[in-house]
Amino acid sequence: MLPPGFEDLLPFIDWAKPTELERNDKRWSASLEESQAFYDRMIERGPAALEYLAPFELSAIGGADRRLLDMCLALAECSATIEMYGDPRPKYVFPIARFVPTHDAWPLAGMGGRA
């Protein structure tokens, strides 16, 4: 499910969402403890993941490598919870349900969407 050498990230595989919309849904649905555990592991392993992914053209990343990339992107979403808000569902920000990123249609985005 992940490239060799990244098996320690398997407990967090459910953070590997293919679109920003899905990653935000995950960020808002996770508890603070879940977010902190994911954040801590990815802050530690993120540099190795990015180094591993660096040689690939973005358009060529698929399968297990894509899931690793999606986890790196999820770290960017999750970091707001940990570094700025201290709450996965902050009350004083724009309601996430009203945020619909139009760039989720870019060629590397998944086919996810809000039901």
Side-chain angles (χ1 to χ4, degrees):
M1 286 187 101
L2 287 171
F6 294 96
E7 295 85 358
D8 60 310
L9 298 178
L10 284 173
F12 303 100
I13 196 71
D14 61 325
W15 286 85
K17 305 295 184 191
T19 68
E20 183 178 1
L21 187 61
E22 290 173 290
R23 289 188 295 273
N24 267 306
D25 283 343
K26 175 62 179 172
R27 176 174 72 93
W28 280 67
S29 66
S31 70
L32 184 58
E33 293 76 20
E34 291 168 325
S35 296
Q36 186 71 61
F38 173 69
Y39 176 88
D40 290 346
R41 180 56 57 96
M42 287 302 295
I43 285 292
E44 177 185 331
R45 297 289 281 136
L50 293 176
E51 184 177 329
Y52 170 84
L53 293 167
F56 299 106
E57 292 290 327
L58 282 176
S59 60
I61 297 177
D65 296 337
R66 174 58 196 258
R67 283 187 289 280
L68 184 61
L69 173 62
D70 290 338
M71 291 179 80
C72 292
L73 295 171
L75 174 61
E77 303 297 339
C78 179
S79 66
T81 294
I82 303 305
E83 296 175 7
M84 294 173 45
Y85 305 128
D87 184 346
R89 293 168 292 286
K91 309 295 185 268
Y92 51 88
V93 298
F94 192 80
I96 196 65
R98 293 181 55 201
F99 178 73
V100 180
T102 59
H103 60 273
D104 264 0
W106 69 303
L108 300 179
M111 300 303 294
R114 201 178 292 281

